[in-house]
Amino acid sequence: MMRYISTRGAAPSLTFGEAMMTGLARDGGLYVPETIPHISPDQIAALVGQSYEDIAFAVMRPYIGDLFTDAEFKGLIAKAYAGFGHMARAPLKQLAPNHFLLELFHGPTLAFKDFAMQLIGQMMQAALAKSGERITIVGATSGDTGSAAIEAFKGLANVDVFILFPHGRVSEVQRRQMTTPDAANIHALAIDGTFDDAQARLKDMFNDFAFRDGVRLAGVNSINWARVLAQVVYYFSAAVSLGAPHRKVSFTVPTGNFGDIFAGYIARQMGLPIEKLVIATNQNDILHRALSTGDYRPDGVVPSISPSMDIQVSSNFERALFDAYGRDGKAIAALMDDLKAGAFHISQGALETLRATFASGRCSESETQDTIRQTLNDSAELLCPHSAVGVYVAQDHLGATPMITLATAHPAKFPDAVEQASGLRPALPPRMADMMTKPERVTRVPNDLAALQALVRERIAR
Ligand SMILES: *Cc1c(COP(=O)(O)O)cnc(C)c1O
């Protein structure tokens, strides 16, 4: 049965269910599968014409061990994607000759994070119902992750969810997505502070072991292996609809924390014929610089119009490094120690291994705006700023192999930036238009650990 090991080599190996509930390993590393299951060309060919849900079952089944029976797992997948606004779940559109757009924004909060969060919500609830346990999820968000988690966990019986967001610093659509769901187990908390304050208080809660154990704290941020796994599926569904296993494809992925593109890497390791995975960054281009020079050196986040990619440290990159260093956990731990002191250098061998799979490019703010305008003009597609970063970078990598760029959010999630670039103000899909008038439920909280802990304890005791 599949076991999961830490990228730093000094934490116990876990089952799928344990890795899903644990998140970060106790040695500070990230969990990865001990071996990657292989999928043969015949098995890939058998996915042609199947529903998204059937492909999801075939791709993920080898990873989950005995946590669920086949029938249970199929039921959870069906529930996870039932609320999407498109039958294909992840439809593929054509932008230009040999350039395609994979629309990942038809879920309940209009960003690709719904693919993983909806499924992890169903899987956690089902696992907890079996064991009779309850957990408390606390998350910090600058926008997209919090709303995706709230939509995924609202109304579930064995989970309480507390989402901290910086008061006054998220868009109105993002705030309303967090404050209008009216389930009793959902707690939207507007903290008096910045996103960094919210994240710091979250870390404090995880580091207070008495509190952590007392409320059974769990995390759902993007380093959770179960989230990566759910994202592997749409690489398969897209490649198969363009001719896999008989024809290769490449992908360009708007990248921040490296979770989404790492899922593409897993698909490639499983045997999906992917030629290149192109990392597309905005002006916060640490990954592009790292791949170009071998030097991984954070130098401060500059806010952009694609805010979900404004990162300093790209957590999931550690998983790719682990493989590039021949799965040497000690070497990875040493790199991460160097990072604490400011930066690390990727060895020549590891860099060559990474470059065999990954390419990269950067897109400035003005190039992002130009791409939104140009793509509307050329192909009648209105892109969100994140997707525009992808489309821009992909254009440098077009060739004989079909290129698929991931569209990570719906333009209506970022109406101001899109309107400024294109002159068109994107409307919310009709199924969520009532969000702008629904009553909001939110608790204003101070930037204070003890007060937050008291609030969590009091709410979960109800
Ligand atoms: C989270 C997010 C990204 C970045 O994804 P990573 O997995 O962190 O690389 C890109 N675009 C949008 C819209 C997002 O919400």
Side-chain angles (χ1 to χ4, degrees):
M1 196 169 70
M2 175 77 73
R3 307 279 307 174
Y4 291 82
I5 57 171
S6 165
T7 51
R8 301 197 193 169
S13 77
L14 301 181
T15 65
F16 175 78
E18 290 165 341
M20 174 169 74
M21 293 298 181
T22 303
L24 200 66
R26 263 188 294 175
D27 59 4
L30 278 62
Y31 278 104
V32 290
E34 198 165 37
T35 56
I36 303 293
H38 196 261
I39 186 158
S40 70
D42 282 350
Q43 288 171 309
I44 297 172
L47 302 177
V48 175
Q50 303 259 4
S51 69
Y52 186 86
E53 285 80 351
D54 286 344
I55 295 175
F57 177 79
V59 169
M60 293 189 287
R61 183 67 192 87
Y63 288 92
I64 67 161
D66 63 1
L67 185 59
F68 305 114
T69 67
D70 286 359
E72 284 169 341
F73 192 40
K74 282 182 185 168
L76 299 176
I77 293 170
K79 270 199 204 157
Y81 300 116
F84 277 49
H86 199 298
M87 284 274 286
R89 309 312 181 212
L92 200 58
K93 280 202 180 161
Q94 187 159 12
L95 281 184
N98 238 8
H99 190 182
F100 299 83
L101 192 70
L102 182 61
E103 292 187 350
L104 300 176
F105 51 67
H106 294 283
T109 71
L110 307 180
F112 83 87
K113 292 188 173 70
D114 288 326
F115 277 90
M117 209 65 93
Q118 285 290 324
L119 185 67
I120 206 177
Q122 294 298 328
M123 290 196 295
M124 278 191 176
Q125 169 63 23
L128 292 166
K130 280 189 183 187
S131 65
E133 291 168 327
R134 252 193 107 74
I135 56 167
T136 303
I137 288 174
V138 182
T141 187
S142 56
D144 292 340
T145 303
S147 55
I150 285 173
E151 276 300 322
F153 288 91
K154 70 179 184 192
L156 298 184
N158 297 46
V159 188
D160 278 293
V161 179
F162 296 82
I163 297 294
L164 285 164
F165 67 88
H167 177 72
R169 292 173 204 246
V170 298
S171 80
E172 185 179 4
V173 172
Q174 287 178 319
R175 188 191 72 237
R176 286 183 168 274
Q177 282 183 326
M178 293 188 274
T179 58
T180 56
D182 65 356
N185 70 326
I186 298 297
H187 312 272
L189 308 178
I191 188 170
D192 284 318
T194 63
F195 170 64
D196 289 337
D197 293 324
Q199 197 154 38
R201 296 299 77 74
L202 176 68
K203 281 200 181 133
D204 292 345
M205 285 192 229
F206 273 91
N207 287 332
D208 178 343
F209 294 125
F211 177 77
R212 177 176 174 168
D213 296 342
V215 306
R216 297 196 43 93
L217 208 55
V220 291
N221 60 9
S222 80
I223 56 104
N224 193 308
W225 166 258
R227 277 186 61 184
V228 173
L229 176 61
Q231 293 167 186
V232 176
V233 175
Y234 45 72
Y235 288 89
F236 275 88
S237 70
V240 158
S241 46
L242 286 183
H246 309 297
R247 189 160 73 143
K248 282 192 172 194
V249 293
S250 289
F251 290 91
T252 299
V253 187
T255 297
N257 222 359
F258 209 78
D260 207 3
I261 196 164
F262 187 75
Y265 169 83
I266 293 291
R268 192 175 186 270
Q269 295 297 97
M270 289 176 76
L272 189 67
I274 296 175
E275 191 167 279
K276 270 277 167 358
L277 290 163
V278 183
I279 302 163
T281 75
N282 65 19
Q283 62 193 6
N284 297 293
D285 60 352
I286 181 164
L287 287 168
H288 175 53
R289 283 185 287 116
L291 213 67
S292 308
T293 66
D295 221 24
Y296 187 95
R297 185 177 298 277
D299 66 356
V301 167
V302 183
S304 78
I305 56 171
S306 44
S308 306
M309 295 155 63
D310 290 346
I311 55 102
Q312 275 254 40
V313 174
S314 189
S315 309
N316 280 292
F317 190 52
E318 180 168 339
R319 289 185 158 119
L321 286 169
F322 182 58
D323 277 6
Y325 275 84
R327 301 207 136 199
D328 177 353
K330 281 210 179 81
I332 300 304
L335 292 182
M336 296 304 144
D337 282 343
D338 290 349
L339 181 60
K340 276 191 205 128
F344 63 80
H345 195 76
I346 306 169
S347 74
Q348 194 56 33
L351 197 56
E352 275 161 26
T353 304
L354 289 169
R355 286 176 182 161
T357 304
F358 297 102
S360 67
R362 168 196 207 270
C363 179
S364 72
E365 293 289 274
S366 63
E367 287 159 346
T368 307
Q369 293 184 311
D370 292 347
T371 304
I372 293 175
R373 186 165 45 246
Q374 198 67 43
T375 309
L376 180 64
N377 211 35
D378 295 348
S379 318
E381 282 295 326
L382 195 53
L383 300 172
C384 95
H386 308 77
S387 312
V389 167
V391 166
Y392 177 82
V393 170
Q395 283 162 356
D396 280 340
H397 297 270
L398 298 181
T401 305
M403 174 62 77
I404 301 168
T405 296
L406 273 53
T408 51
H410 192 287
K413 231 178 155 167
F414 303 92
D416 297 332
V418 171
E419 183 176 20
Q420 215 189 3
S422 69
L424 280 189
R425 191 163 182 89
L428 285 171
R431 69 180 194 282
M432 46 187 62
D434 69 339
M435 193 178 78
M436 301 312 278
T437 52
K438 271 196 199 162
E440 295 189 72
R441 242 172 19 110
V442 59
T443 307
R444 185 90 174 261
V445 292
N447 179 17
D448 177 76
L449 178 64
L452 287 168
Q453 290 178 324
L455 181 134
V456 169
R457 283 206 178 93
E458 191 240 271
R459 294 271 181 99
I460 65 174
R462 279 183 195 168

mmCIF file of all heavy atoms in Angstrom, residues 111-113 144 254-260 308-309 386 408-409 414, ligand 1:
data_model
loop_
_atom_site.group_PDB
_atom_site.id
_atom_site.type_symbol
_atom_site.label_atom_id
_atom_site.label_comp_id
_atom_site.label_asym_id
_atom_site.label_seq_id
_atom_site.Cartn_x
_atom_site.Cartn_y
_atom_site.Cartn_z
ATOM 1 N N ALA A 111 -12.080 29.781 -9.114
ATOM 2 C CA ALA A 111 -10.630 29.628 -9.294
ATOM 3 C C ALA A 111 -10.294 28.134 -9.258
ATOM 4 O O ALA A 111 -11.075 27.325 -8.752
ATOM 5 C CB ALA A 111 -9.849 30.386 -8.226
ATOM 6 N N PHE A 112 -9.110 27.786 -9.787
ATOM 7 C CA PHE A 112 -8.769 26.359 -9.901
ATOM 8 C C PHE A 112 -8.687 25.675 -8.547
ATOM 9 O O PHE A 112 -8.768 24.451 -8.449
ATOM 10 C CB PHE A 112 -7.451 26.194 -10.677
ATOM 11 C CG PHE A 112 -6.219 26.375 -9.844
ATOM 12 C CD1 PHE A 112 -5.658 25.309 -9.152
ATOM 13 C CD2 PHE A 112 -5.602 27.622 -9.722
ATOM 14 C CE1 PHE A 112 -4.521 25.470 -8.370
ATOM 15 C CE2 PHE A 112 -4.478 27.796 -8.951
ATOM 16 C CZ PHE A 112 -3.939 26.721 -8.267
ATOM 17 N N LYS A 113 -8.537 26.461 -7.480
ATOM 18 C CA LYS A 113 -8.389 25.849 -6.161
ATOM 19 C C LYS A 113 -9.608 25.024 -5.768
ATOM 20 O O LYS A 113 -9.519 24.143 -4.917
ATOM 21 C CB LYS A 113 -8.076 26.917 -5.114
ATOM 22 C CG LYS A 113 -6.689 27.514 -5.346
ATOM 23 C CD LYS A 113 -6.237 28.430 -4.234
ATOM 24 C CE LYS A 113 -4.790 28.841 -4.435
ATOM 25 N NZ LYS A 113 -4.577 29.758 -5.570
ATOM 26 N N ASP A 144 -8.192 33.853 -2.405
ATOM 27 C CA ASP A 144 -8.739 32.693 -3.109
ATOM 28 C C ASP A 144 -8.817 31.417 -2.270
ATOM 29 O O ASP A 144 -9.789 30.670 -2.347
ATOM 30 C CB ASP A 144 -7.910 32.400 -4.362
ATOM 31 C CG ASP A 144 -8.061 33.494 -5.401
ATOM 32 O OD1 ASP A 144 -9.051 34.248 -5.323
ATOM 33 O OD2 ASP A 144 -7.196 33.596 -6.281
ATOM 34 N N PRO A 254 0.435 29.351 -14.801
ATOM 35 C CA PRO A 254 0.651 30.538 -13.954
ATOM 36 C C PRO A 254 0.979 30.076 -12.534
ATOM 37 O O PRO A 254 0.176 29.375 -11.915
ATOM 38 C CB PRO A 254 -0.710 31.265 -13.996
ATOM 39 C CG PRO A 254 -1.422 30.707 -15.197
ATOM 40 C CD PRO A 254 -0.932 29.291 -15.329
ATOM 41 N N THR A 255 2.155 30.441 -12.034
ATOM 42 C CA THR A 255 2.686 29.763 -10.848
ATOM 43 C C THR A 255 2.991 30.720 -9.709
ATOM 44 O O THR A 255 3.509 31.818 -9.915
ATOM 45 C CB THR A 255 3.964 28.988 -11.245
ATOM 46 O OG1 THR A 255 3.611 27.981 -12.188
ATOM 47 C CG2 THR A 255 4.610 28.335 -10.049
ATOM 48 N N GLY A 256 2.635 30.271 -8.503
ATOM 49 C CA GLY A 256 2.964 31.008 -7.297
ATOM 50 C C GLY A 256 3.679 30.080 -6.331
ATOM 51 O O GLY A 256 4.900 30.061 -6.208
ATOM 52 N N ASN A 257 2.890 29.238 -5.665
ATOM 53 C CA ASN A 257 3.442 28.335 -4.662
ATOM 54 C C ASN A 257 3.880 26.992 -5.250
ATOM 55 O O ASN A 257 4.228 26.074 -4.527
ATOM 56 C CB ASN A 257 2.392 28.110 -3.568
ATOM 57 C CG ASN A 257 3.001 28.132 -2.191
ATOM 58 O OD1 ASN A 257 4.212 28.304 -2.039
ATOM 59 N ND2 ASN A 257 2.187 27.931 -1.185
ATOM 60 N N PHE A 258 3.811 26.844 -6.578
ATOM 61 C CA PHE A 258 4.303 25.668 -7.305
ATOM 62 C C PHE A 258 3.443 24.420 -7.093
ATOM 63 O O PHE A 258 3.833 23.317 -7.459
ATOM 64 C CB PHE A 258 5.761 25.363 -6.924
ATOM 65 C CG PHE A 258 6.577 24.698 -8.004
ATOM 66 C CD1 PHE A 258 7.079 25.435 -9.064
ATOM 67 C CD2 PHE A 258 6.834 23.340 -7.968
ATOM 68 C CE1 PHE A 258 7.836 24.818 -10.058
ATOM 69 C CE2 PHE A 258 7.597 22.719 -8.960
ATOM 70 C CZ PHE A 258 8.104 23.463 -10.004
ATOM 71 N N GLY A 259 2.231 24.581 -6.516
ATOM 72 C CA GLY A 259 1.380 23.405 -6.299
ATOM 73 C C GLY A 259 0.771 22.903 -7.591
ATOM 74 O O GLY A 259 0.798 21.696 -7.886
ATOM 75 N N ASP A 260 0.235 23.828 -8.378
ATOM 76 C CA ASP A 260 -0.465 23.444 -9.596
ATOM 77 C C ASP A 260 0.502 22.811 -10.593
ATOM 78 O O ASP A 260 0.235 21.742 -11.150
ATOM 79 C CB ASP A 260 -1.114 24.717 -10.185
ATOM 80 C CG ASP A 260 -2.340 24.411 -11.017
ATOM 81 O OD1 ASP A 260 -2.731 23.222 -11.107
ATOM 82 O OD2 ASP A 260 -2.914 25.353 -11.582
ATOM 83 N N SER A 308 -2.614 36.360 -6.589
ATOM 84 C CA SER A 308 -2.473 34.987 -6.094
ATOM 85 C C SER A 308 -1.129 34.383 -6.468
ATOM 86 O O SER A 308 -0.836 33.245 -6.092
ATOM 87 C CB SER A 308 -3.611 34.120 -6.627
ATOM 88 O OG SER A 308 -4.850 34.711 -6.304
ATOM 89 N N MET A 309 -0.335 35.115 -7.228
ATOM 90 C CA MET A 309 1.005 34.635 -7.577
ATOM 91 C C MET A 309 2.084 35.514 -6.973
ATOM 92 O O MET A 309 3.262 35.403 -7.341
ATOM 93 C CB MET A 309 1.163 34.618 -9.102
ATOM 94 C CG MET A 309 0.238 33.616 -9.750
ATOM 95 S SD MET A 309 -0.154 34.038 -11.460
ATOM 96 C CE MET A 309 1.462 33.937 -12.179
ATOM 97 N N HIS A 386 -4.078 36.400 -13.948
ATOM 98 C CA HIS A 386 -3.194 35.248 -13.744
ATOM 99 C C HIS A 386 -3.083 34.435 -15.034
ATOM 100 O O HIS A 386 -1.997 34.046 -15.457
ATOM 101 C CB HIS A 386 -3.708 34.359 -12.614
ATOM 102 C CG HIS A 386 -3.987 35.105 -11.354
ATOM 103 N ND1 HIS A 386 -5.113 35.872 -11.191
ATOM 104 C CD2 HIS A 386 -3.277 35.228 -10.214
ATOM 105 C CE1 HIS A 386 -5.087 36.440 -10.001
ATOM 106 N NE2 HIS A 386 -3.973 36.069 -9.382
ATOM 107 N N THR A 408 -6.452 30.000 -14.612
ATOM 108 C CA THR A 408 -6.590 29.625 -13.201
ATOM 109 C C THR A 408 -7.740 30.320 -12.483
ATOM 110 O O THR A 408 -8.140 29.884 -11.416
ATOM 111 C CB THR A 408 -5.276 29.890 -12.440
ATOM 112 O OG1 THR A 408 -4.856 31.231 -12.710
ATOM 113 C CG2 THR A 408 -4.191 28.925 -12.863
ATOM 114 N N ALA A 409 -8.247 31.422 -13.018
ATOM 115 C CA ALA A 409 -9.400 32.076 -12.381
ATOM 116 C C ALA A 409 -10.290 32.713 -13.441
ATOM 117 O O ALA A 409 -9.857 32.971 -14.565
ATOM 118 C CB ALA A 409 -8.947 33.136 -11.374
ATOM 119 N N PHE A 414 -11.585 39.335 -10.746
ATOM 120 C CA PHE A 414 -10.667 40.479 -10.712
ATOM 121 C C PHE A 414 -11.185 41.565 -11.658
ATOM 122 O O PHE A 414 -10.500 41.962 -12.613
ATOM 123 C CB PHE A 414 -9.255 40.016 -11.101
ATOM 124 C CG PHE A 414 -8.767 38.904 -10.206
ATOM 125 C CD1 PHE A 414 -8.962 37.571 -10.554
ATOM 126 C CD2 PHE A 414 -8.189 39.186 -8.976
ATOM 127 C CE1 PHE A 414 -8.562 36.545 -9.715
ATOM 128 C CE2 PHE A 414 -7.787 38.162 -8.129
ATOM 129 C CZ PHE A 414 -7.979 36.844 -8.493
HETATM 130 C C1 LIG B 1 -3.339 30.017 -6.234
HETATM 131 C C2 LIG B 1 -3.412 30.620 -7.589
HETATM 132 C C3 LIG B 1 -2.321 30.558 -8.497
HETATM 133 C C4 LIG B 1 -0.978 29.948 -8.130
HETATM 134 O O1 LIG B 1 -1.053 28.551 -7.983
HETATM 135 P P1 LIG B 1 0.129 27.757 -7.238
HETATM 136 O O2 LIG B 1 -0.359 26.359 -7.104
HETATM 137 O O3 LIG B 1 0.311 28.447 -5.918
HETATM 138 O O4 LIG B 1 1.346 27.859 -8.092
HETATM 139 C C5 LIG B 1 -2.489 31.091 -9.772
HETATM 140 N N1 LIG B 1 -3.646 31.685 -10.135
HETATM 141 C C6 LIG B 1 -4.712 31.777 -9.289
HETATM 142 C C7 LIG B 1 -5.941 32.447 -9.753
HETATM 143 C C8 LIG B 1 -4.631 31.249 -7.990
HETATM 144 O O5 LIG B 1 -5.689 31.349 -7.154
#
